[in-house]
Amino acid sequence: MEPKNWTPAELLHLSSGHWNIGALHAAVSLDVFTPLTGGDITAGELAERLGVDGRALAMLLDALTAMELVRKRGERYGAAPAACRFLSQDSPDYLGHIISHHHHLVAGWARLDEAVRSGGPVRQSSSHGSDESARESFLMGMFNLAMLSAPQVVPRIDLSGRQRLLDLGGGPGTWAIQFCLHNAGLRAVVYDLPTTRPFAERTIARFDLADRVSFEEGDFLSGHIPGRYDVAWLSQILHSEGPEGCAVILGKAVAALEPGGIIMVQEFILNDAKDGPLFPALFSLNMLVGTARGQSYAEGELTAMMAAAGVRDLRRLPLDLPNGAGVIVGTVA
C-alpha cells in the first residue's frame, strides 16, 4: 500500500484532533446531553442546572454545535438526534461509559513517547487499579461495546445442544448474557476478578438471568477455573498479555472444556504483516501504554497459540465487525 501524501493542513488537523476528543469527554463528564434531550434550553439555564460557569458552558455548547452533536436555535440549545440516542443517560443505547473509559486513557497516551523509550507501561491498568471511577468506566464501557457487537456475533454461532458456557474474563457478563438469551438451554459462568462481581451481578439482574448466569471470582493467570464446560468464550483478554500469558490463559480454558468443546477467541486482529488495520495497530500502542506485555496479535499468531494449546479445526468466522475485531473458533479433542 502506498503511503498517504499528507499535506501540512491535514497533518495539523490530525495533530489537533484531541480538541474534538476533549470537548466530547468534557460534555459526557458533565452530563450535558441528558438535560438537552428533554428540550431546548439556554446556556444559562443549563449552567444553573449543572452547577458550572455559564460563559464557559456556552463556549462548550457552541463547539458541540459545530461538531453537530448539539443544535442551536437562537440562544437555545438541544441535543442532536445521535446525541439523544447515544449520549443521554436516559437512553438504553448510552455510550457514556466507554467514552469515560477513553477519557481515563488520555493521560497515558500523552506519555506514549516515554512508553516507547522504556518499553513498559506509563499508567495503571483500569481493571486492576485502585481508581473506582476508572474501573467502573472500564467495565461498563465493555458493556457498551459488547452491546454494539453481540447482536451481530451471537446469532452467527451455533451453540445448539451446548449446556455450559465459560465467559473467561467476562467483566460485566454481557456476552454470557447474550449467549444465554439466544440459546434457551444454555447456562453460563462469568469468571473474573472479585472487584468485577458487583458490576456483573447488576448487569445479570438487569436482564433477569440470575438463575442461568453466575459469577465466579478468580484470576485467569494465577487462579484455578472450577467446573466443566462445553463452550469457552474469551473476548478481548489475550491482548492484555504477552505470548507467555496468552499460553497460560488458553491452556486453562482448554483444560476446563469437555472433549469436543468449542473455544472462541475475539480480538482486534492485525493482518500478518502487522501494519493494519488501523484500529488494531493503534490499540497495540494502547496496550504498550497500559500493560507490561500486552499487544494486538495477528491472525496467524492467534491461531498458532490456540493450536499449541490443543485447539483444532480453527477458523475465523466470516463477520464484518467494527475496529478490525474478529472471532476465531476451534474445538478441543
Side-chain angles (χ1 to χ4, degrees), residues 139 167-172 190-194 196 215-220:
L139 290 170
D167 188 356
L168 192 59
V190 180
Y191 183 95
D192 213 323
L193 297 171
T196 304
F215 186 89
E216 182 74 35
E217 295 182 0
D219 185 317
F220 50 57

Side-chain angles (χ1 to χ4, degrees), residues 56-282:
L57 180 62
M59 294 167 70
L60 175 60
L61 290 173
D62 285 336
L64 294 170
T65 302
M67 294 165 63
E68 300 182 48
L69 293 171
V70 168
R71 49 180 170 70
K72 185 177 183 181
R73 297 187 179 99
E75 296 302 313
R76 306 183 77 82
Y77 300 87
C84 291
R85 180 178 177 185
F86 299 116
L87 300 175
S88 167
Q89 290 191 22
D90 293 334
S91 169
D93 296 324
Y94 180 62
L95 294 177
H97 298 296
I98 188 61
I99 292 172
S100 295
H101 172 58
H102 290 162
H103 178 67
H104 285 112
L105 302 179
V106 170
W109 269 87
R111 300 171 61 195
L112 177 59
D113 57 331
E114 296 177 37
V116 173
R117 287 191 182 97
S118 68
V122 294
R123 66 169 177 83
Q124 193 175 40
S125 166
S126 299
S127 60
H128 289 70
S130 57
D131 187 328
E132 292 286 344
S133 174
R135 183 184 300 115
E136 179 177 11
S137 296
F138 169 71
L139 290 170
M140 297 315 296
M142 297 308 102
F143 171 81
N144 288 159
L145 293 181
M147 290 299 290
L148 291 176
S149 57
Q152 299 178 57
V153 174
V154 169
R156 301 288 296 274
I157 299 173
D158 183 10
L159 296 184
S160 55
R162 304 286 169 170
Q163 296 181 335
R164 281 180 57 80
L165 178 141
L166 170 66
D167 188 356
L168 192 59
T174 321
W175 283 99
I177 289 166
Q178 292 299 314
F179 278 116
C180 285
L181 288 174
H182 196 73
N183 297 273
L186 190 68
R187 294 179 177 271
V189 172
V190 180
Y191 183 95
D192 213 323
L193 297 171
T195 50
T196 304
R197 177 186 287 276
F199 301 98
E201 291 184 340
R202 282 201 300 268
T203 307
I204 293 164
R206 173 176 171 179
F207 288 87
D208 196 26
L209 281 173
D211 59 332
R212 294 174 56 202
V213 182
S214 59
F215 186 89
E216 182 74 35
E217 295 182 0
D219 185 317
F220 50 57
L221 283 175
S222 60
H224 168 67
I225 301 174
R228 302 294 295 169
Y229 306 88
D230 49 14
V231 185
W233 172 255
L234 286 66
S235 180
Q236 308 293 3
I237 60 173
L238 295 184
H239 61 234
S240 296
E241 303 297 331
E244 300 83 1
C246 291
V248 172
I249 295 169
L250 288 168
K252 290 188 177 186
V254 168
L257 287 171
E258 300 282 5
I262 299 172
I263 182 169
M264 301 178 284
V265 171
Q266 177 174 226
E267 284 291 337
F268 301 121
I269 302 177
L270 289 163
N271 60 38
D272 285 337
K274 305 185 81 168
D275 57 2
L278 177 60
F279 188 89
L282 290 173

